[in-house]
Amino acid sequence: MPMQLIRDEGSGLTPLEGEEIGHTEPNVKVFVCDHAEGEGTLYLTNQRIVWLAAESKGFAMDYPFVVLHAISRSVEAFPHPCIYCQLSEMPAEVLAVPVPMDQDDDEDDAPVPELRFAPANEASLDRIFQVFSEMAALNPDPTDDQNEEDSDDAPGAGGWFTADGWVPPDNFAADEDAEEEDVDMTNGG
């Protein structure tokens, strides 16, 4: 379930099996691609991010669906302090107002799907970000494991970049020995 629309029957969030709520923040405005979607309650659980509006509409999404999240306090960038999120995609059914797309745009020029959570209590941004980060760490993107496995087989993979340049994996032991010699020399040995 990358992202899905959900309906609230007025009772708040009904947790899934094994789901625990890590943070609840009332009075959170949501902006999808700069369009206000309404105000509701944000739930950060150990399985998903859920926002339920007072009008009994909302959405739920898995953490891997969020490519990046950050605190944005700059009113020059956006008029409300918020948790800024970049998404891997934006399902059309989630948008209240369609985002204009130029048919000539190639994939590199396509707009980045963005979502902003703007709490009425600005002081809660740090706590929301902290719990968001903790819960996201519990839910890594399963495709990242595949990408890491693939990258280990790539030419030059597995080495380190240091101030002295590239250290291939087969030179790790030699590099460590050289560092030990440097340490011995600086200690008079």
Side-chain angles (χ1 to χ4, degrees):
M1 164 196 73
M3 184 179 232
Q4 69 179 29
L5 293 176
I6 57 175
R7 297 275 178 216
D8 176 27
E9 302 302 322
S11 59
L13 177 65
T14 303
L16 302 173
E17 183 177 329
E19 185 173 34
E20 297 175 15
I21 298 172
H23 185 77
T24 302
E25 187 68 34
N27 307 316
V28 175
K29 292 180 183 175
V30 166
F31 298 85
V32 177
C33 299
D34 295 335
H35 299 287
E37 297 291 323
E39 186 171 299
T41 302
L42 175 65
Y43 299 92
L44 300 174
T45 79
N46 63 334
Q47 295 180 16
R48 60 194 175 142
I49 304 153
V50 180
W51 178 80
L52 296 174
E55 302 87 39
S56 56
K57 67 174 183 174
F59 58 84
M61 64 183 156
D62 294 335
Y63 287 94
F65 193 67
V66 178
V67 177
L68 172 135
H69 68 281
I71 295 175
S72 174
R73 290 189 172 94
S74 171
V75 293
E76 290 85 29
F78 191 72
H80 308 282
C82 62
I83 299 294
Y84 168 81
C85 301
Q86 286 184 356
L87 308 178
S88 59
E89 62 183 270
M90 181 61 71
E93 64 272 9
V94 173
L95 294 172
V97 179
V99 175
M101 297 286 291
D102 184 355
Q103 292 184 357
D104 294 333
D105 282 348
D106 62 16
E107 194 171 303
D108 293 336
D109 294 336
V112 175
E114 298 174 330
L115 184 67
R116 290 176 172 88
F117 297 103
N121 179 7
E122 182 183 337
S124 63
L125 279 173
D126 290 321
R127 177 70 181 142
I128 294 170
F129 179 79
Q130 177 187 1
V131 173
F132 197 120
S133 298
E134 290 169 0
M135 298 301 171
L138 296 174
N139 295 278
D141 187 345
T143 61
D144 282 350
D145 291 340
Q146 179 63 39
N147 292 339
E148 286 176 15
E149 290 172 12
D150 292 345
S151 68
D152 288 343
D153 297 335
W160 293 349
F161 279 104
T162 68
D164 297 325
W166 175 254
V167 180
D170 56 341
N171 288 348
F172 286 159
D175 188 50
E176 288 175 7
D177 290 342
E179 286 177 11
E180 287 177 15
E181 289 174 12
D182 289 343
V183 170
D184 289 342
M185 290 172 41
T186 59
N187 291 332

